[in-house]
């Protein structure tokens, strides 16, 4: 090994340790960056062959980085659009055009146009897009809010998640529920029907314009048998629209205008009878006007809880509900543990508007690091695979592959996986190795000087 080789080894050692020190400094600087993944500098020696094929291992060192994809500490933020991935995988994000609020790329979404990240500190920007701290837009599959269904397809069918327009979102009532206890001691009516000998309930509804309305229901006891069973008839006694005016010809004060909706039979114990125990009891409502056809849920056969009953001495009050969403009742959005973006509305109503996939690759350590929090696929990492988050129980209308075991820790973010104590240990080692390499350079320089001096 000649003086030149010693000199070169020293210089290469300085270069390699300088790169290691740069990596360590970057790791330490990002110890508090959400979703940051530390890099580790690894080394290998240069092995060259001469013209005869003999190996010469004494030719210095080279440095390269490997990503550490272990999980960081999960911290709760209580921001409903934040989420941390528990398990393997990444969120898919894309650049946004700052002025237009759309994805900057004009090509179809592909492995080359999206980034993978674990940085889940998403919040709405001025355009309503969910973006993380790096300004990248969260990508997902858009769903039909009314049904919660949509295609779990390929990268090309993904779009930026947007909360824009939800304040004006509305849905007409198509399902309603009603639970009450009809008076057990009410006498059967055999003569003229009046408001006095019937029991009335006002059922709230929402029309197609997102406005409130109501249907008046009247319950008429038509029979009482000696064994304690009874029969009741249900009437639509009139519908009131959002403008306060009647819809149709029904008049709650005029029984001759009431429309029969069906008959209910009750057992001796006051529960609904006529079907298998536990089977649902429903009536179909056709309010007319701007209202949609609605299925009214009255409970279950043979069940006292959450059902219409006629039990002596009980006054459970009236419990009702409907699935309509009034315009202007949007209260915010959240990411769910199984990977949905849900819009929340007044009254505890929730609609799924996007589905977020769990993006995985075969070899994440060979992803290209675009920044400490964003990565891009390479030939060695493998292509992006889309999976479901969580243990989903309802896959109706979707074609999502099975989950890989990852889920979302909601209202939380994953912090950096940098371990400060390990970084300082590595820093000391790199510093000492750098000093030793510099000693090689100075020694080679002294040897060269001595050789030159010999000549004189």
């Amino acid at each position: 090994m000649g003086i030149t080789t010693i000199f070169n080894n020293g210089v290469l050692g300085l270069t390699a340790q300088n790169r290691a020190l740069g990596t360590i400094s970057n790791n330490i600087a990002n110890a508090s960056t959400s979703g940051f993944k530390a890099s580790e500098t690894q080394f290998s020696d240069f092995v060259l062959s001469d013209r005869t094929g003999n190996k010469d291992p004494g030719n210095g060192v080279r440095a390269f980085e490997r990503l550490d994809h272990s999980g960081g500490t999960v911290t709760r933020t209580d921001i409903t659009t934040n989420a941390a991935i528990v398990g393997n995988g990444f969120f898919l994000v894309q650049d946004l055009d700052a002025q237009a609020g759309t994805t900057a790329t004009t090509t179809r979404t592909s492995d080359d146009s999206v980034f993978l990240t674990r940085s889940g500190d998403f919040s709405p920007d001025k355009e309503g897009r969910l973006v993380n701290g790096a300004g990248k837009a969260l990508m997902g599959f858009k769903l039909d809010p009314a049904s919660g269904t949509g295609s779990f397809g390929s990268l090309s069918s993904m779009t930026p998640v947007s909360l824009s327009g939800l304040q004006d979102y509305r849905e007409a009532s198509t399902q309603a529920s009603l639970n009450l206890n009809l008076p057990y001691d009410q006498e059967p009516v055999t003569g003229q029907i009046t408001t006095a000998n019937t029991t009335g309930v006002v059922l709230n509804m929402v029309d197609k314009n997102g406005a409130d309305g109501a249907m008046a229901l009247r319950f008429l006891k038509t029979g009482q048998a000696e064994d304690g069973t009874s029969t009741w008839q249900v009437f639509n006694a009139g519908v009131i629209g959002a403008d306060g005016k009647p819809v149709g010809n029904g008049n709650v004060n005029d029984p001759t205008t009431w429309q029969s909706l069906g008959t209910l039979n009750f057992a001796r114990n006051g529960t609904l009878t006529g079907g298998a125990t536990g089977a649902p009891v429903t009536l179909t409502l056709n309010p007319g006007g701007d209202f949609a056809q609605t299925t009214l849920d009255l409970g279950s056969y043979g069940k006292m809880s959450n059902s219409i009953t006629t039990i002596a001495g009980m006054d459970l009050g009236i419990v009702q509900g409907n699935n309509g969403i009034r315009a202007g009742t949007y209260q915010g959005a959240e990411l769910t543990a199984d990977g949905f973006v849900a819009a929340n509305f007044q009254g505890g109503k929730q609609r799924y508007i996007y589905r977020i996939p769990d993006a995985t690759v075969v070899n994440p350590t060979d992803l290209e690091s675009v920044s400490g929090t964003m990565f891009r696929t390479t030939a060695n990492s493998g292509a992006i695979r889309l999976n479901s988050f969580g243990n989903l129980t309802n896959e109706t209308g979707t074609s999502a592959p099975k989950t890989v075991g990852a889920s979302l820790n909601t209202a939380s973010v994953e912090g950096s996986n940098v371990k400060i104590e390990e970084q300082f240990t590595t820093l000391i080692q790199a510093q000492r190795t750098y000093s030793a390499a510099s000693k090689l350079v100075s020694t080679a320089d002294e040897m060269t000087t001595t050789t030159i001096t010999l000549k004189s």
Side-chain angles (χ1 to χ4, degrees):
M1 179 181 295
I3 295 176
T4 303
T5 302
I6 296 172
F7 188 86
N8 287 339
N9 282 342
V11 172
L12 289 172
L14 289 172
T15 303
Q17 295 307 320
N18 184 65
R19 184 169 180 178
L21 288 168
T23 299
I24 294 168
S25 65
N26 185 56
N27 289 341
I28 293 175
N30 285 280
S32 299
T33 302
S34 173
F36 180 82
K37 297 303 175 187
S39 294
E40 177 186 4
T41 304
Q42 297 182 341
F43 306 93
S44 65
D45 62 337
F46 282 113
V47 179
L48 302 179
S49 300
D50 59 20
R51 294 179 179 179
T52 61
N54 295 320
K55 302 293 184 181
D56 182 7
N59 290 281
V61 66
R62 61 182 180 132
F64 59 95
E65 275 77 39
R66 299 283 285 187
L67 285 170
D68 175 10
H69 280 286
S70 61
T73 302
V74 175
T75 304
R76 187 162 184 82
T77 64
D78 291 326
I79 300 174
T80 58
T81 52
N82 287 179
I85 298 176
V86 180
N88 297 323
F90 300 86
F91 296 110
L92 288 176
V93 294
Q94 199 166 41
D95 280 320
L96 283 177
D97 185 309
Q99 294 182 344
T102 57
T103 50
T105 177
T106 57
T107 60
R108 300 182 69 185
T109 305
S110 66
D111 285 36
D112 296 328
S113 66
V114 296
F115 304 105
L116 298 98
T117 185
R118 299 273 292 196
S119 181
D121 54 340
F122 299 107
S123 60
D125 67 1
K126 65 179 182 179
E127 302 292 338
R129 314 268 184 173
L130 282 187
V131 299
N132 63 12
K136 307 300 180 181
L138 176 64
M139 306 296 288
F141 298 106
K142 193 168 185 178
L143 306 177
D144 175 11
S147 62
T149 60
S151 175
F152 192 113
S154 62
L155 283 172
S156 61
S157 60
M158 296 181 70
T159 60
V161 173
S162 175
L163 308 181
S164 177
L166 288 174
Q167 186 60 45
D168 295 327
Y169 183 78
R170 79 252 349 227
E171 278 185 31
S173 301
T174 57
Q175 295 179 338
S177 61
L178 178 64
N179 306 144
L180 77 157
N181 188 63
L182 297 171
Y184 175 82
D185 55 357
Q186 183 165 319
E187 293 294 327
V189 176
T190 56
Q192 185 177 3
I193 301 173
T194 66
T195 56
N197 58 23
T198 57
T199 298
V201 175
V202 176
L203 184 67
N204 297 322
M205 306 180 74
V206 178
D207 68 16
K208 298 175 182 178
N209 300 312
D212 287 322
M215 173 182 282
L217 299 177
R218 304 299 297 190
F219 293 84
L220 171 70
K221 192 173 185 178
T222 58
Q224 177 79 51
E226 293 183 0
D227 62 358
T229 60
S230 61
T231 303
W232 292 71
Q233 192 169 4
V234 187
F235 292 94
N236 168 8
V239 178
I240 301 298
D243 56 1
K245 297 180 180 180
V247 176
N249 299 320
N251 185 338
V252 70
N253 296 313
D254 182 3
T256 62
T257 66
W258 298 355
Q259 298 177 349
S260 177
L261 298 174
T263 300
L264 302 176
N265 297 308
F266 293 90
R268 183 176 180 179
N269 66 356
T271 62
L272 288 162
T273 186
T277 300
V281 181
T282 61
L283 294 175
T284 300
L285 310 180
N286 290 289
D290 288 329
F291 295 95
Q293 179 176 293
T294 303
T295 300
L296 177 61
D297 178 6
L298 300 177
S300 305
Y301 289 114
K303 300 292 183 179
M304 292 187 181
S305 60
N306 300 320
S307 299
I308 284 189
T309 57
T310 175
I311 302 173
M314 289 187 64
D315 184 9
L316 304 177
I318 298 173
V319 180
Q320 64 166 291
N322 70 86
N323 68 338
I325 294 179
R326 291 185 291 114
T329 59
Y330 171 67
Q331 295 183 324
E334 65 179 272
L335 283 167
T336 68
D338 48 5
F340 288 91
V341 178
N344 296 317
F345 299 89
Q346 190 175 34
K349 295 171 182 176
Q350 188 178 77
R351 296 292 184 270
Y352 288 163
I353 56 175
Y354 286 90
R355 189 171 188 182
I356 308 303
D358 180 21
T360 61
V361 293
V362 175
N363 184 17
T365 58
D366 277 334
L367 287 170
E368 176 191 354
S369 180
V370 180
S371 70
T373 60
M374 289 189 303
F375 312 97
R376 184 181 282 131
T377 58
T378 65
N380 291 331
S381 71
I384 294 173
R385 299 178 179 180
L386 302 181
N387 309 277
S388 302
F389 278 115
N391 298 314
L392 301 178
T393 57
N394 182 9
E395 289 291 316
T396 302
T398 68
S399 57
K402 293 182 179 180
T403 176
V404 293
S407 61
L408 294 180
N409 194 329
T410 58
S412 304
V413 294
E414 179 183 350
S416 168
N417 67 349
V418 174
K419 298 178 176 62
I420 293 294
E421 63 280 6
E422 293 182 3
Q423 294 300 316
F424 276 111
T425 300
T426 308
L427 176 64
I428 293 171
Q429 293 172 344
Q431 184 180 16
R432 289 178 176 175
T433 306
Y434 188 94
S435 298
S438 67
K439 188 64 176 177
L440 283 176
V441 175
S442 62
T443 300
D445 182 60
E446 291 174 5
M447 292 172 65
T448 303
T449 302
T450 300
T451 302
I452 295 173
T453 303
L454 288 173
K455 185 176 181 181
S456 61

